Amino acid sequence: MTPFTCAILDDFQNVALAMADWNSLAPAVTAVSFQQHFSDETALIEALQGFEIIVIMRERTPFTASVFAGLPSLKLLITTGMRNASIDLEAARAHGVTVCGTASSSEPPIELTWALILGLSRHLYTEHHHFRTSGPWQSTLGTGLHGKQLGLLGLGKIGSRVAQMGQAFGMNVVAWSQNLTEERASQIGVTLASSKEALLETSDVVSIHLVLGERTRGLLGEKELRCMKPSGLLINTSRAPIIQESALVRALQEGWIAGAGLDVFEQEPVPRDHPLRTLPNVLATPHLGYVTKENYQVYYQQAVEDIQAFLQGKPIRMLT
């Protein structure tokens, strides 16, 4: 068998090759890690010429029809996770590319959601900055969560666990989504909001846990954000396009809401001059929801398994 070459993309922390036994693929496969992000499609195609196998991290690098067309050597594309909206699966099939995925834990984004909620409500960034720079001792007044209302847009696997943690903090938890039933909400001990607007109007913290699709894209725009309490906090660890970005920036600049905890953005990495980087009422992380050692080990170890199965002619965890 002619040896294959495998490109591992967007290995920002330069850890991919240490997270799994890539040597187990030798001599059939040689793996190469790329730490830099290719935001330009032409540069991406040029860099990946000749690679038969490519491993991508979540949705960091879109694989469009033109990318598939520009990579005639590509035979196997592996994405971490079993869902990746940035892959044109129809184009993959048309070009004869097998697409496989891996398992993914939902615990890391749940934990990060609460890190953002707690960080915002207790002004941790501001107080930490003052501590490190010998600034004022106690300059903010935090907001307690006990007795407050947590509103969840989405009550799936992640949303339901966020709800349970909110209940542990003594919060009143309500939820809404287009298909959410009262029966499902009651199973989690959550109140079904009568409408999206009702949830936004009455919640002290609103957290988004929805899958991005035609019905959820732009779900929160100016009208919806103006429904929120001026003291309200908005958390998004799901997908950026669920909130209309221009409306969110205005809401934060003009005080329609008190603050936002964000882990997802329409353009990643976020441009250096983007207003979300400088607004004082934003607590943001660079899409770290899934970024834990434990998750990365699952991703890359199962990517190796996917490659082994493909080489044996029996691909597993297929998306196409």
Side-chain angles (χ1 to χ4, degrees):
M1 177 186 295
T2 303
F4 286 175
T5 51
C6 170
I8 305 170
L9 297 189
D10 295 317
D11 182 16
F12 295 159
Q13 298 92 350
N14 193 22
V15 296
L17 294 176
M19 291 288 109
D21 184 10
W22 294 91
N23 290 330
S24 66
L25 299 173
V29 178
T30 300
V32 178
S33 167
F34 289 86
Q35 285 80 60
Q36 73 271 34
H37 175 70
F38 294 102
S39 57
D40 178 75
E41 191 172 278
T42 301
L44 173 70
I45 292 172
E46 181 179 344
L48 297 180
Q49 287 302 309
F51 283 96
E52 295 89 358
I53 303 170
I54 298 174
V55 179
I56 60 176
M57 175 58 73
R58 305 298 291 170
E59 297 173 357
R60 289 177 183 172
T61 298
F63 266 67
T64 62
S66 55
V67 171
F68 283 110
L71 298 174
S73 299
L74 182 59
K75 295 178 173 61
L76 173 64
L77 178 67
I78 299 172
T79 175
T80 55
M82 288 300 293
R83 180 188 293 127
N84 191 325
S86 70
I87 299 175
D88 188 330
L89 294 177
E90 185 176 337
R93 284 188 287 267
H95 288 275
V97 178
T98 299
V99 182
C100 298
T102 73
S104 182
S105 172
S106 59
E107 296 305 320
I110 294 167
E111 294 166 359
L112 185 66
T113 295
W114 277 101
L116 291 172
I117 293 173
L118 293 168
L120 271 178
S121 62
R122 298 300 293 271
H123 306 288
L124 292 190
Y125 174 78
T126 298
E127 296 293 0
H128 173 74
H129 175 71
H130 288 164
F131 185 88
R132 293 294 296 270
T133 59
S134 298
W137 189 263
Q138 295 187 4
S139 65
T140 64
L141 194 62
T143 300
L145 299 177
H146 184 87
K148 300 297 196 305
Q149 180 166 300
L150 171 63
L152 301 176
L153 294 174
L155 196 64
K157 182 167 60 173
I158 292 177
S160 60
R161 291 283 286 116
V162 172
Q164 291 168 345
M165 292 185 182
Q167 292 162 342
F169 277 107
M171 300 186 77
N172 170 42
V173 185
V174 303
W176 177 91
S177 70
Q178 290 175 321
N179 294 323
L180 182 60
T181 64
E182 190 168 348
E183 179 183 9
R184 167 61 182 165
S186 63
Q187 289 174 350
I188 312 298
V190 170
T191 301
L192 175 64
S194 58
S195 66
K196 173 180 62 178
E197 290 74 18
L199 180 146
L200 295 171
E201 290 170 358
T202 58
S203 296
D204 299 287
V205 179
V206 175
S207 190
I208 300 171
H209 303 286
L210 296 165
V211 175
L212 179 63
E214 290 305 312
R215 293 192 300 178
T216 58
R217 186 178 297 274
L219 185 72
L220 299 186
E222 178 175 344
K223 175 185 174 183
E224 290 77 17
L225 293 175
R226 286 188 180 276
C227 285
M228 289 184 62
K229 295 181 177 182
S231 59
L233 303 177
L234 178 61
I235 312 296
N236 191 7
T237 57
S238 181
R239 289 294 182 270
I242 294 174
I243 307 174
Q244 294 176 17
E245 187 178 87
S246 59
L248 175 60
V249 170
R250 283 194 61 201
L252 293 163
Q253 289 174 332
E254 300 177 16
W256 308 349
I257 62 176
L262 307 173
D263 186 50
V264 288
F265 309 90
E266 289 193 2
Q267 182 180 346
E268 297 183 6
V270 176
R272 292 181 181 274
D273 60 349
H274 198 287
L276 289 176
R277 284 188 178 270
T278 58
L279 286 169
N281 50 355
V282 171
L283 178 60
T285 47
H287 207 152
L288 298 179
Y290 56 88
V291 181
T292 64
K293 178 181 178 180
E294 293 78 10
N295 234 5
Y296 271 36
Q297 288 174 332
V298 171
Y299 289 161
Y300 290 120
Q301 289 170 11
Q302 292 197 3
V304 169
E305 293 174 2
D306 288 347
I307 295 170
Q308 291 170 333
F310 177 79
L311 295 178
Q312 295 166 6
K314 299 177 181 179
I316 56 176
R317 293 186 281 264
M318 295 177 63
L319 277 66
T320 55

